[in-house]
Amino acid sequence: MVEVAPAPAPATIKAPKKKAAKPKKTGPTVGELIVKAVSASKERNGVSLPALKKVLSSGGYDVEKNNSRVKLAVKSLVSKGTLLQTKGTGASGSFKLNKAKAEAKKKSTEKAVPKAKAAAKKPAAAKKPKKAAAKKPAVKKAAGAKKATKSAKAKKPAAPKKAKAAKPKTAKPKAAKPSKSAPKTK
């Protein structure tokens, strides 16, 4: 006799649990807090990592909980060039602000702000002319495309002639070589 094993009980299928979306905290990022702390420092040789952590914790940032974030932020700021590392390697050592990078960033933000304000004023007044102008170029482009193909075909043969004319020709007299198949005469 053949014994039949009992069928296993059907497994209940559970839907994967969706994680509750955490609300994003508003405020400056760790990198921004570090840059502010280093720029506020009057140390000539830069701010050490423990001193930087003290400044962040006095500002209300939980350094013990987010220690790895602080280290990663310091490393990334050094690699970007925002901070200069005067001593140590990695996230340890002393850091000071890269003045050349900070000045360049200030100039770029100052130039971008007036352009943004000017651009914000223009679209309100220029909406109507853009709609009328958008219809006309479509017709011109179609006609222009045909002309462009004709002119491109006309230009293609002319280009190789110019390339050949650019080569200087030197006249070298070629000596007549006796062919191997021709009979030799004495």
Side-chain angles (χ1 to χ4, degrees):
M1 288 190 113
V2 178
E3 291 184 27
V4 178
T12 56
I13 300 173
K14 294 182 180 179
K17 292 182 180 180
K18 292 183 180 179
K19 294 183 180 180
K22 293 181 182 180
K24 287 194 173 187
K25 294 181 181 179
T26 58
T29 62
V30 182
E32 292 171 354
L33 291 173
I34 292 171
V35 170
K36 286 180 185 178
V38 172
S39 63
S41 172
K42 301 293 180 186
E43 294 291 323
R44 194 177 93 182
N45 293 332
V47 181
S48 65
L49 187 65
L52 186 63
K53 288 181 181 179
K54 285 181 184 177
V55 172
L56 291 175
S57 63
S58 68
Y61 190 76
D62 190 6
V63 176
E64 290 179 16
K65 184 178 177 184
N66 300 314
N67 190 29
S68 62
R69 290 179 191 243
V70 173
K71 288 181 180 180
L72 285 173
V74 168
K75 286 181 184 178
S76 68
L77 289 170
V78 169
S79 66
K80 288 179 184 175
T82 307
L83 291 180
L84 292 177
Q85 191 165 15
T86 57
K87 294 179 187 176
T89 58
S92 64
S94 297
F95 307 94
K96 64 181 183 179
L97 198 62
N98 188 357
K99 293 180 182 178
K101 183 90 171 182
E103 290 175 4
K105 190 173 183 181
K106 284 182 183 179
K107 289 180 182 179
S108 66
T109 55
E110 288 174 0
K111 291 179 181 178
V113 172
K115 289 179 181 177
K117 288 181 181 178
K121 293 178 183 177
K122 289 181 181 179
K127 284 183 180 178
K128 291 181 181 177
K130 285 184 180 178
K131 290 180 182 177
K135 293 178 183 176
K136 292 179 183 177
V139 176
K140 290 181 180 177
K141 286 181 183 177
K146 291 178 183 176
K147 290 179 183 176
T149 56
K150 289 180 183 177
S151 63
K153 289 179 182 176
K155 289 181 182 178
K156 285 183 182 178
K161 290 179 183 176
K162 289 180 183 177
K164 289 180 181 176
K167 293 181 183 178
K169 293 185 178 180
T170 55
K172 290 183 180 179
K174 293 185 179 180
K177 293 182 180 178
S179 65
K180 293 179 181 178
S181 60
K184 294 182 181 179
T185 56
K186 285 189 180 178

